[in-house]
Amino acid sequence: MTQPLSVQLYTVRDALSADLPGTLQRIASIGYTNVEAFGFVDRAEELRDALAAAGLQVPSGHARLLDAGEQDLERIFHASVTVGLGTLIDPHIDEARWTTREDVEAIARELSALAPRAADHGLVLGYHNHAFEFSNRIDGVSAYEVFADALSDDVVLELDTYWVTVGGDDPVAILGKYGDKVQFLHVKDGDGSHDDKRQVAVGNGIMPIRDIVAAAPDALHVVELDDHDGDVFQAVADSYVFLQGVRA
């Protein structure tokens, strides 16, 4: 059974900072039942209560893990439990660490080592890519593949399909290679450039959305626009309608 659609709250960050409860109600009114949290550590209880009021679930959330100190890690884990996350995803690890096999495999080891600690809190860990993990090549393959191949089985992947494309790789092929390890998809669209403003509603850009969805039907599909030159809520709503049609 296809999972309900989610939306990364970073997409509506400006509205969220101005009116958290109202923004979540607006997301729910579009039809979304899931959201992906970001920047939640310092407002976990407020976010939890606003999500409950809007009738929204939060299966996943983003927080920088490998950059965090010991005390901050415990705060992140505690906040994740407070909000109600199932999967805690590191959204960015410094690009400078993705240039050699040794460094990339070290990243995989560090993240893998945190997985049992996260599990003690009832959390699964994951990693979300940008473009550089794919544009950086090591021995003929992307740094991302070196990383994913070295990652422990209990760390999942959230594949940002748009940034795979911008990084010069084929998201459908990557999904075919890693299969069920990819538990979450960032589904976004645009002109395929690094310019966030050129991102558009899903279905209105260059991305092979139907093929991407078909390649990972059981993953949780998360709509995101890093930026948008227009009404972002309209883009989020149009994305919902398009994906509901594609996934029917």
Side-chain angles (χ1 to χ4, degrees), residues 4-178:
L5 286 169
S6 185
V7 61
Q8 164 56 252
L9 290 178
Y10 183 77
T11 304
V12 293
R13 57 194 175 278
D14 293 336
L16 210 64
S17 64
D19 179 6
L20 174 62
T23 299
L24 294 178
Q25 294 282 358
R26 193 169 177 185
I27 290 291
S29 72
I30 292 170
Y32 290 94
T33 54
N34 289 328
V35 297
E36 185 169 78
F38 82 101
F40 59 88
V41 176
D42 292 325
R43 56 174 184 173
E45 293 182 359
E46 180 189 9
L47 179 59
R48 175 199 62 198
D49 295 345
L51 288 166
L56 293 168
Q57 302 296 312
V58 57
S60 56
H62 284 189
R64 298 279 288 267
L65 300 172
L66 294 196
D67 290 346
E70 187 64 31
Q71 191 172 7
D72 285 338
L73 270 176
E74 285 305 317
R75 288 183 64 242
I76 291 167
F77 289 148
H78 178 74
S80 299
V81 172
T82 299
V83 171
L85 301 187
T87 302
L88 176 59
I89 298 167
D90 195 316
H92 187 275
I93 295 170
D94 186 9
E95 181 176 359
R97 297 194 64 191
W98 293 86
T99 57
T100 70
R101 179 175 294 276
E102 292 74 20
D103 281 350
V104 171
E105 290 180 346
I107 292 170
R109 285 195 303 274
E110 289 170 31
L111 201 54
S112 298
L114 291 180
R117 291 183 55 185
D120 288 341
H121 296 272
L123 299 165
V124 174
L125 289 191
Y127 182 69
H128 165 277
N129 62 281
H130 290 81
F132 56 78
E133 295 96 336
F134 288 92
S135 57
N136 290 348
R137 313 296 287 187
I138 298 170
D139 300 329
V141 300
S142 68
Y144 185 86
E145 291 172 77
V146 173
F147 164 75
D149 290 343
L151 207 55
S152 66
D153 291 340
D154 51 358
V155 179
V156 303
L157 298 172
E158 177 172 65
L159 194 73
D160 189 310
T161 55
Y162 189 74
W163 292 125
V164 175
T165 300
V166 175
D169 229 316
D170 176 2
V172 175
I174 296 298
L175 289 169
K177 178 172 182 178
Y178 291 106

Side-chain angles (χ1 to χ4, degrees), residues 189-222:
D189 216 338
D191 68 351
S193 75
H194 283 275
D195 184 354
D196 291 351
K197 282 282 190 184
R198 307 298 293 176
Q199 292 178 22
V200 296
V202 176
N204 289 349
I206 67 155
M207 295 294 291
I209 301 297
R210 294 177 189 277
D211 293 340
I212 287 168
V213 168
D218 297 327
L220 196 151
H221 302 146
V222 184

